[in-house]
Amino acid sequence: MTTRDLVLAALFAAIIVALGLVPPIMLGFIPVPITAQSLGVMLAGVILGAKRGGFAVLLVLLLVAIGLPVLSGGRGGLATFASPTAGYLVGWFFAAVVTGYCSERFVDRSQSGLVQITGFFLAALLGGVVVDHALGILYLAYVTGTGLSTAFIGDLSFVPGDVLKAMISALAGRAVMVGYPLLPQRA
Amino acid sequence: MKTLYVEGDTFLHRLSPRTKLLGLAALSLVLFLVHSPAVLSVAAMLGGIVCASLRLGWRQSWLRLRPILLTIVIVALFTLVLNGRHDALIVATRLTALALFAAAVTATTSTGDFIDEITRLAMPLERLGVVKAADIGLSIGLVIRFVPEILSRYQAIRDAHRARGLKPRPLTLAVPLIILTLKNADDIAAAIDARGIRAQK
C-alpha cells in the first residue's frame, strides 16, 4: 500500500466516524431519519474500491475495539462486539470489500452516467444489503437460538432504509467519480 | 473525542493488555459453550462485580452500558416470545456477562496500550507481507486527527446551503464533503513521506 492509499483509507475512516456524529438527516420524501454510518460503509467501497475501502472500514472497527466511542450514539468499546447485533458491525468490513470489488468490476469511466449509477447501485446493494444483512442474521440467529427465519423477519424492517442508502451511495459515488475519480480500474 | 478508558490503579489496570484480551476471548468461548442459566447468571453477576470494582460511579456505568443492555433486553424479549423462558434467560445472562466483562477491559486499557498491542499482534502479518505493523498506529492517529476537521467542514457546507436558501440533502452534503476531504490526501501523503515516517527498511 502506498502512503497515498493509506491516507485515503484513514481519511475515509474519519468520514465514517464523522457521519456518526452528525445529526440524522431527514429525507424529503420519506419520514425516516437516515443514520449515515452504514451509508459511509457503502460509500467507502464505491469510492475507494475493495482494498482501500475495506481498510477504511477495518480502521473504524479497530477504533471501536480500542474503546473510542466512534459509532453513532457514542457507542464503542469491546462490549459492542458482544452485542447480539455484532454480526452487522463485523459485516461492514465484508460489505465494503464486496461493494468495492463489484464497483471496480461493473463501473468504468467510459460508461454513460446511467450505467455507472446502476453499476454502483448493484454493487452497494450486494455488499451493503445482501452481505451485511446475511452476516447480521446469521450471528443474531446463532446468539439467540431463534432460528434463521425469525431473525430474517426481524431483519426485514431494516432493508428498505438500507436499499435507500445504496441508492444514495450510487448517486454520490457517480458524482465523486465525475469530480475526483479515485476508483481503481480493473480490466 | 473522549475515550472510554478510565484512569485508575486497580488489578485490571495493571494486567497486560494481552492477558486481558486473551482472557476475554477465552471467556467468550466458555460462555457460548455453557447452557446452564444458573452458571451464566453467576458469570453475569461476577461481571457486574468486576465493573463495580472499577469505581466508575453508577451514572457513568449506566451511560456506557445503556445502548448494549437495551439491545440485549429487546433480543431477550423476542426469544421469550418465540422460544420460551429457558432460552430467553440463557440469552440474557450470557450476553450481559459478556458485555460487562468487555466493558471492564475497555475501561482499564488505554488507547496507547491497545495500539501497541495491535502493532505487536500484526508483526506476523508484516512478515507475510500483508501489512506494515507500524502503519496501523499511524492510520489510527490520522483518523483521530482528522475527525474534528471533517466535522467543521461539514458545518461549513451546511452553512453554505443555508446562506443560499437551499435545503440540506444527504447527496448535496456528502459529495462536496468527500471530495474536499479526499483532495487533501496527496498533501498529507507528501508530508508523511517528506518526514520519512514510513521509511523503507
Side-chain angles (χ1 to χ4, degrees), chain A residues 24-187:
Chain A
I25 309 160
M26 291 300 247
L27 283 176
F29 46 99
I30 303 181
V32 179
I34 292 278
T35 47
Q37 259 177 336
S38 54
L39 173 68
V41 172
M42 296 183 212
L43 281 171
V46 159
I47 291 169
L48 294 182
K51 196 175 157 197
R52 294 174 294 186
F55 189 61
V57 174
L58 209 57
L59 274 177
V60 175
L61 296 182
L62 216 54
L63 289 171
V64 174
I66 65 177
L68 293 168
V70 295
L71 295 178
S72 57
R75 287 173 302 134
L78 285 169
T80 323
F81 291 99
S83 139
T85 51
Y88 292 97
L89 190 64
V90 176
W92 278 5
F93 169 68
F94 299 95
V97 171
V98 170
T99 304
Y101 181 79
C102 293
S103 303
E104 289 169 20
R105 271 287 147 102
F106 298 165
V107 183
D108 197 283
R109 250 166 249 162
S110 58
Q111 290 164 333
S112 75
L114 198 63
V115 178
Q116 284 176 338
I117 291 171
T118 315
F120 278 144
F121 176 63
L122 290 177
L125 207 59
L126 210 62
V129 183
V130 177
V131 172
D132 188 37
H133 283 241
L135 288 169
I137 290 168
L138 278 177
Y139 186 71
L140 189 64
Y142 170 70
V143 166
T144 57
T146 46
L148 284 174
S149 53
T150 37
F152 179 72
I153 290 166
D155 173 85
L156 276 182
S157 55
F158 297 99
V159 170
D162 279 355
V163 171
L164 207 64
K165 284 177 207 169
M167 210 118 81
I168 295 171
S169 63
L171 293 169
R174 144 95 177 142
V176 173
M177 193 176 212
V178 170
Y180 190 60
L182 286 165
L183 189 71
Q185 297 285 307
R186 214 178 269 266

Side-chain angles (χ1 to χ4, degrees), chain A residues 1-4 8 10-11 14 21-22 27 62-63 66-70 76-79 82 84 144-145 168 172 180 182, chain B residues 1-4 24 68 75 82-83 95 99 102 106 111 114 118 136 139 143 150-151 154 170-171 181-182 185-186 193 198:
Chain A
M1 224 186 229
T2 65
T3 309
R4 182 167 183 267
L8 279 172
L11 285 178
L21 296 171
V22 303
L27 283 176
L62 216 54
L63 289 171
I66 65 177
L68 293 168
V70 295
L78 285 169
T144 57
I168 295 171
Y180 190 60
L182 286 165
Chain B
M1 237 184 324
K2 252 186 104 206
T3 75
L4 296 171
L24 190 62
I68 284 144
V75 167
L82 295 166
N83 292 21
L95 293 174
T106 298
T111 309
F114 261 124
I118 290 167
I136 295 170
S139 352
V143 178
I150 290 167
L151 280 177
Y154 173 85
L171 209 58
T181 306
L182 296 187
D186 288 316
D193 284 339
R198 295 179 79 225

Side-chain angles (χ1 to χ4, degrees), chain B residues 10-184:
Chain B
T10 62
F11 174 67
L12 268 178
H13 279 92
R14 286 191 299 266
L15 270 181
S16 83
R18 179 170 301 180
T19 321
K20 278 183 276 191
L21 286 173
L22 287 179
L24 190 62
L27 185 80
S28 68
L29 269 181
V30 171
L31 283 177
F32 273 99
L33 292 174
V34 173
H35 288 278
S36 135
V39 176
L40 288 170
S41 335
V42 171
M45 252 185 279
L46 275 177
I49 291 169
V50 169
C51 278
S53 74
L54 301 175
R55 298 183 203 291
L56 278 177
W58 289 109
R59 219 184 105 71
Q60 258 297 316
S61 320
W62 171 241
L63 281 179
R64 273 155 191 261
L65 291 167
R66 187 176 54 185
I68 284 144
L69 291 183
L70 205 66
T71 332
I72 293 175
V73 167
I74 292 169
V75 167
L77 282 177
F78 264 101
T79 321
L80 181 68
V81 173
L82 295 166
N83 292 21
R85 230 174 347 175
H86 184 74
D87 279 5
L89 201 60
I90 290 179
V91 167
T93 47
R94 176 187 289 156
L95 293 174
T96 310
L98 206 53
L100 288 172
F101 279 109
V105 172
T106 298
T108 56
T109 314
S110 74
T111 309
D113 283 348
F114 261 124
I115 293 178
D116 288 347
E117 194 53 45
I118 290 167
T119 308
R120 242 170 279 145
L121 285 174
M123 278 299 177
L125 288 176
E126 178 166 324
R127 259 171 247 133
L128 288 173
V130 181
V131 69
K132 275 167 92 186
D135 282 354
I136 295 170
L138 174 67
S139 352
I140 289 176
L142 275 175
V143 178
I144 295 172
R145 152 84 177 73
F146 280 101
V147 168
E149 200 157 307
I150 290 167
L151 280 177
S152 71
R153 204 167 278 153
Y154 173 85
Q155 244 120 40
I157 294 169
R158 216 186 37 193
D159 290 346
H161 275 73
R162 292 229 177 92
R164 292 173 178 80
L166 300 170
K167 239 180 115 195
R169 293 184 190 286
L171 209 58
T172 55
L173 286 173
V175 173
L177 182 70
I178 291 168
I179 294 184
L180 276 174
T181 306
L182 296 187
K183 270 195 170 163
N184 284 336

